[in-house]
């Protein structure tokens, strides 16, 4: 266990109660503020610690980092340093921030020179993902969707053998706070008639997380389930926006395409796998038994509470879903082992979505498709309006956090607003 995860640690930077970012978290992101180029920051309480400034003034000399790694628009070059080094940087920052450590605390003008209020900075997309995979690993979600189309046989025969996934589009991944326009596309309005071209009327969110990898071994080699943690830098919250009406017409026979690639939103802070270690838990029993390369030892699911809210334009938020990452059937070690079992190369900054995370209870479903059961049971917002799917002007917010031994390690949020089609 990393000593930076010790629940007894306190920082000399005051951390508000209920903050997602105590000293035990220290997630990495990219921020920008007046007069400063984009750079690597670490969240602590309601502050951002400026790693580029720390490095320039000699607080990170042990790591011999070129300035360009930390004064950078993305975390990719930092992640390229590999697990040993990025973990050691987090441990060192933990030391510097501990209340009894005077090195940074008592440096002249330290708070002004090295910290910014999170509320005063702009968070940028943390990584430039070269490749992006989306899995489909929640049994509740796969069963719900399957049941709508195949009531007698909801799960396909491959589902409990393969962590099913597809290759998505990395160019349209956006960071929390960025908005996007409702997509247009081909939609089949009536069976037996030609499709029409128009704006989607069944725009949906998908509650997901995503993990981000380090550089993997050479192409042709694989990552085993027991090696997977060495190749995973951290996780973010992920909203895999989906247009159900476009999806329904296009997905045969090759799967998701334009219904999925117009926008996918992620949270700005990458919570390291190191910080998540205390929250590992057992996953569901996998029956039938998985093939050998997918077997694993020890608890590999992670207890991350998740919630989704909808904010209609100018109105207050209505929480529509409470779920948890612990319900996933396939864990991230298995997903990465499966991704690479054929020799597929993984690179620093690549992203892997979990698939929609639906909990067993009906208020735990991770998409409108399931919550309203294809629009049959609309949800009522606090302002009295109803929703079958997501409307123009709606903002969808996903939050996620872990809690154990009085320590809350959170992700912050991912929030995006839907603008009218153009
Ligand atoms: Ca998805």
């Amino acid at each position: 266990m990393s000593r930076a995860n010790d629940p007894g640690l306190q920082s000399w930077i005051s951390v508000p109660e209920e903050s997602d970012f105590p000293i035990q978290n220290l997630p990495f992101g990219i921020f920008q503020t007046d007069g400063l180029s984009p750079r690597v920051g670490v969240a602590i309480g309601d502050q951002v610690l400026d790693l580029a400034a720390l490095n320039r003034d000699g607080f990170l000399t042990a790591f011999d980092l070129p300035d360009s790694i930390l004064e950078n628009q993305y975390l990719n070059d930092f992640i390229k340093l590999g697990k040993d080094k990025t973990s050691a940087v987090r441990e060192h920052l933990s030391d510097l921030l501990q209340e009894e450590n005077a090195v940074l605390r008592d440096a002249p003008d330290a708070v002004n020179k090295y910290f910014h209020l999170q509320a005063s900075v702009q968070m940028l997309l943390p990584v430039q993902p070269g490749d992006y995979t989306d899995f489909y690993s929640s049994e509740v979600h796969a069963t719900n969707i399957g049941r709508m189309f195949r009531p007698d046989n909801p799960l396909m025969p491959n589902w409990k053998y393969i962590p099913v996934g597809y290759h998505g589009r990395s160019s349209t991944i956006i960071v929390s706070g960025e908005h996007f326009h409702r997509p247009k596309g081909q939609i089949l309005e009536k069976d037996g008639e030609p499709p029409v071209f128009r704006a989607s009327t069944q725009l949906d969110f998908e509650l997901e997380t995503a993990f981000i990898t380090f550089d993997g071994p050479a192409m042709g080699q694989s990552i085993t389930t027991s090696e997977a943690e060495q190749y995973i830098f951290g996780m973010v919250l992920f909203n895999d926006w989906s247009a159900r009406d476009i999806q329904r017409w296009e997905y045969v026979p090759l799967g998701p395409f334009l219904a999925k690639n117009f926008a996918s939103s992620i949270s700005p802070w990458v919570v390291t796998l190191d910080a998540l270690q205390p929250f590992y838990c057992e996953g569901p029993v996998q029956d039938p038994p998985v093939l050998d390369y997918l077997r694993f030892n020890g608890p590999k699911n992670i207890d991350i509470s998740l919630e989704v809210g909808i904010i209609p334009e100018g109105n207050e938020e209505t929480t529509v879903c409470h779920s948890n990452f612990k319900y996933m059937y396939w864990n991230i070690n298995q997903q990465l082992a499966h991704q690479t079992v054929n020799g597929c190369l993984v690179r620093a900054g690549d992203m892997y979505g979990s698939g929609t995370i639906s909990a067993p209870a009906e208020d735990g479903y991770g998409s409108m498709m399931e919550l309203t059961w294809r629009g049959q049971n609309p949800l009522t917002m606090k302002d009295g309006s109803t929703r079958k799917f997501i409307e123009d002007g709606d903002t969808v917010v996903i939050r996620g956090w872990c809690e154990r031994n009085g320590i809350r390690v959170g992700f912050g949020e991912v929030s995006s607003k839907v603008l009218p089609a153009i």
Side-chain angles (χ1 to χ4, degrees), residues 291-329:
L291 297 184
D292 280 352
Y293 78 91
L294 291 169
R295 292 175 63 178
F296 63 95
N297 293 313
K300 294 298 177 199
N301 276 45
I302 311 176
D303 186 351
I304 306 173
S305 298
L306 298 163
E307 68 177 31
V308 183
I310 298 175
I311 310 172
E313 184 98 71
N315 278 292
E316 64 177 316
E317 178 176 336
T318 303
T319 303
V320 297
C321 166
H322 299 276
S323 187
N324 194 304
F325 189 58
K326 71 183 178 187
Y327 294 118
M328 299 306 283
Y329 189 84

Side-chain angles (χ1 to χ4, degrees), residues 132 134-136 141 166 206 208 238 240 242 260 354-356:
Y132 147 53
D134 197 27
F135 288 99
Y136 188 59
H141 173 69
Y166 69 97
E206 288 190 340
E208 303 195 23
F238 184 60
D240 182 26
S242 301
K260 296 279 190 175
S354 57
T356 306

Side-chain angles (χ1 to χ4, degrees), residues 92-394:
H92 180 67
L93 295 173
S94 169
D95 289 344
L96 282 177
L97 290 166
Q98 278 176 46
E99 58 183 352
E100 62 274 18
N101 189 330
V103 171
L104 182 61
R105 184 191 69 200
D106 295 348
D109 208 21
V111 172
N112 278 329
K113 274 164 88 175
Y114 305 117
F115 293 86
H116 300 271
L117 264 180
Q118 282 167 27
S120 73
V121 306
Q122 185 189 0
M123 296 306 299
L124 306 180
L125 191 66
V127 292
Q128 182 174 40
D131 277 300
Y132 147 53
T133 293
D134 197 27
F135 288 99
Y136 188 59
S137 290
S138 155
E139 184 175 1
V140 173
H141 173 69
T143 304
N144 280 342
I145 298 297
R147 187 172 288 142
M148 293 177 203
F149 300 99
R150 299 176 301 276
D152 299 331
N153 187 21
L155 274 191
M156 298 297 267
N158 63 358
W159 199 87
K160 289 199 166 178
Y161 290 97
I162 290 180
V164 168
Y166 69 97
H167 284 126
R169 185 85 185 168
S170 59
S171 61
T172 36
I173 292 174
I174 57 177
V175 72
S176 182
E178 283 190 67
H179 308 320
F180 65 94
H181 293 275
R182 175 177 299 273
K184 295 180 288 196
Q186 283 199 25
I187 293 162
L188 186 71
E189 292 188 331
K190 280 193 185 132
D191 284 337
E193 290 187 9
V196 298
F197 177 78
R198 62 164 170 77
S200 167
T201 52
Q202 297 185 347
L203 181 61
D204 203 351
F205 64 82
E206 288 190 340
L207 164 61
E208 303 195 23
T209 62
F211 67 84
I212 292 167
T213 47
F214 292 107
D215 277 326
M219 177 176 161
Q221 297 187 25
S222 315
I223 298 171
T224 65
T225 57
S226 59
E227 293 165 337
E229 276 117 358
Q230 282 303 311
Y231 293 100
I232 298 175
F233 172 64
M235 292 177 62
V236 292
L237 302 171
F238 184 60
N239 185 344
D240 182 26
W241 294 97
S242 301
R244 302 300 179 196
D245 37 13
I246 296 173
Q247 185 177 0
R248 191 171 306 117
W249 172 236
E250 74 169 5
Y251 85 101
V252 181
L254 290 186
F257 188 37
L258 302 182
K260 296 279 190 175
N261 69 3
F262 54 92
S264 311
S265 311
I266 66 171
S267 53
W269 292 110
V270 185
V271 177
T272 63
L273 212 57
D274 293 331
L276 293 171
Q277 285 301 319
F279 308 99
Y280 271 60
C281 61
E282 299 288 344
V285 173
Q286 296 183 330
D287 181 32
V290 298
L291 297 184
D292 280 352
Y293 78 91
L294 291 169
R295 292 175 63 178
F296 63 95
N297 293 313
K300 294 298 177 199
N301 276 45
I302 311 176
D303 186 351
I304 306 173
S305 298
L306 298 163
E307 68 177 31
V308 183
I310 298 175
I311 310 172
E313 184 98 71
N315 278 292
E316 64 177 316
E317 178 176 336
T318 303
T319 303
V320 297
C321 166
H322 299 276
S323 187
N324 194 304
F325 189 58
K326 71 183 178 187
Y327 294 118
M328 299 306 283
Y329 189 84
W330 297 104
N331 59 56
I332 59 177
N333 296 54
Q334 292 177 305
Q335 289 173 336
L336 190 55
H338 185 64
Q339 173 81 57
T340 61
V341 74
N342 63 348
C344 174
L345 181 67
V346 305
R347 292 177 297 196
D350 287 353
M351 275 185 48
Y352 307 76
S354 57
T356 306
I357 305 162
S358 291
E362 280 187 14
D363 72 345
Y365 296 169
S367 66
M368 292 298 275
M369 184 77 166
E370 297 164 88
L371 287 165
T372 69
W373 211 257
R374 298 171 87 175
Q376 289 170 32
N377 312 309
L379 298 179
T380 302
M381 303 289 104
K382 283 185 181 163
D383 66 6
S385 63
T386 58
R387 292 290 181 284
K388 295 179 178 176
F389 290 95
I390 302 302
E391 312 234 320
D392 291 348
D394 286 353

